[in-house]
Amino acid sequence: MELVVQRVFNWFTPKRETWLFRVNPALKFIVFFAFLIITLVNQSLPFAISQAILYGILFYIFSGYSLKKLLLLSIPLVISFLSTGLTMLLFGKGETVLWQWGLLKISEESIQHALLLGSKSLSFGFVGFTFILTIQPVLFFYAMMQQFRLPSKYAYSFIAAFRLIPAVTEELQIRRNALKVRNIQFSKGFRGIYERLQSYTVPLFAQSIRRAQRIAVAMEAKQYQMGAARTYYYPTRYTGVDMVFLLVMICSLSSAFLLSIYR
């Protein structure tokens, strides 16, 4: 199990770090969130297509991952595009009917709506994946605390959960090996699932309580207090790269909007 987790972490290690990695994670989150809101409220098909192309360029060129990994990540995006687009294409309403067979009906309006929804789903996927692939989760929460005053009780909760994933998977592997050494056999079907849950959940839950107690004692020893002014091990600040990022994003989105108007 530990090997599997390590492989997952290695899989999400970029081939190269592009300029997007040096952008402040909190600023990147706000800008990308604003892009998603614009995508959500937009009802112009040309602008939606321009947005999908823009976000696709960010994903495929500036994410820093190999083309093989990006193509694998593109599979759910293609499925989302086809599912949303085909549903609207075959069952959407429209006056100019091009083809109809029973409940299935294709019209000019349904084609436009299908392309609009499909482009939006691609934009959401491209933006989401680009953000996830170009940040470090720990630095993101540190940046949210320092730049946007996110309460530390929420940020440190997420950081602790992220840091404890390897420990939990290691304990799961230890429990699995212990059951294997004892030659524990489980029943088949739903009864076997219940027996496995019974054998795994209680020990893991007990270990989680012990770990939480140790963490609480460690935080108390370090005089951790909620709401108190504190320093940070990883200081995050705005740099010149953030200004370049803002200018590039604003100019790119403006260009996509102008191209959709004067196409």
Side-chain angles (χ1 to χ4, degrees):
M1 181 63 69
E2 185 178 359
L3 181 60
V4 173
V5 174
Q6 186 62 38
R7 287 181 178 177
V8 171
F9 279 103
N10 292 337
W11 201 91
F12 284 98
T13 300
K15 185 178 181 181
R16 69 185 189 283
E17 289 194 359
T18 63
W19 63 282
L20 281 178
F21 285 84
R22 299 192 296 272
V23 178
N24 186 290
L27 176 64
K28 191 190 306 182
F29 172 76
I30 295 299
V31 172
F32 282 178
F33 182 76
F35 279 11
L36 293 180
I37 295 298
I38 294 173
T39 302
L40 182 63
V41 301
N42 171 51
Q43 297 298 324
S44 171
L45 176 59
F47 186 40
I49 296 176
S50 300
Q51 282 181 297
I53 295 174
L54 168 62
Y55 304 150
I57 292 174
L58 289 177
F59 176 66
Y60 288 108
I61 298 179
F62 297 109
S63 63
Y65 286 75
S66 64
L67 181 60
K68 179 181 178 181
K69 292 181 179 180
L70 295 178
L71 291 177
L72 287 175
L73 292 174
S74 301
I75 294 176
L77 301 184
V78 174
I79 294 175
S80 175
F81 175 81
L82 293 177
S83 60
T84 56
L86 287 176
T87 301
M88 179 57 66
L89 176 67
L90 297 176
F91 299 100
K93 296 180 180 180
E95 300 296 333
T96 310
V97 178
L98 303 177
W99 177 82
Q100 185 172 3
W101 183 65
L103 296 176
L104 305 180
K105 181 175 66 174
I106 298 177
S107 63
E108 292 184 1
E109 294 81 1
S110 66
I111 294 176
Q112 293 180 359
H113 292 155
L115 291 175
L116 178 63
L117 286 180
S119 300
K120 285 187 175 185
S121 65
L122 284 179
S123 297
F124 271 88
F126 286 145
V127 172
F129 274 135
T130 303
F131 177 75
I132 293 173
L133 296 177
T134 58
I135 67 163
Q136 298 181 33
V138 174
L139 290 182
F140 169 65
F141 288 108
Y142 270 104
M144 292 298 291
M145 282 190 290
Q146 296 174 49
Q147 269 70 57
F148 294 103
R149 300 296 183 267
L150 177 70
S152 58
K153 61 181 179 180
Y154 300 120
Y156 281 116
S157 298
F158 283 105
I159 292 175
F162 183 77
R163 292 293 195 188
L164 290 176
I165 290 176
V168 173
T169 54
E170 182 181 1
E171 289 186 1
L172 182 61
Q173 183 63 43
I174 293 173
R175 181 62 180 169
R176 179 179 298 175
N177 293 336
L179 293 175
K180 187 181 296 185
V181 168
R182 295 173 184 175
N183 197 24
I184 302 297
Q185 301 293 329
F186 297 104
S187 304
K188 296 182 179 180
F190 290 103
R191 182 178 178 82
I193 296 176
Y194 174 76
E195 292 174 354
R196 285 183 174 86
L197 288 175
Q198 212 172 21
S199 300
Y200 281 98
T201 53
V202 176
L204 292 178
F205 185 68
Q207 283 293 99
S208 299
I209 295 176
R210 296 191 189 101
R211 186 183 300 108
Q213 179 66 24
R214 291 196 295 268
I215 293 174
V217 172
M219 295 178 69
E220 185 177 357
K222 294 180 179 180
Q223 297 183 353
Y224 181 85
Q225 297 178 1
M226 286 293 182
R230 56 187 298 107
T231 57
Y232 298 98
Y233 186 77
Y234 298 108
T236 59
R237 55 182 63 90
Y238 296 120
T239 62
V241 178
D242 301 319
M243 294 301 299
V244 173
F245 171 72
L246 272 178
L247 291 175
V248 170
M249 293 297 101
I250 292 174
C251 292
S252 300
L253 190 63
S254 301
S255 300
F257 179 71
L258 292 176
L259 286 175
S260 67
I261 296 177
Y262 301 105
R263 64 188 189 280

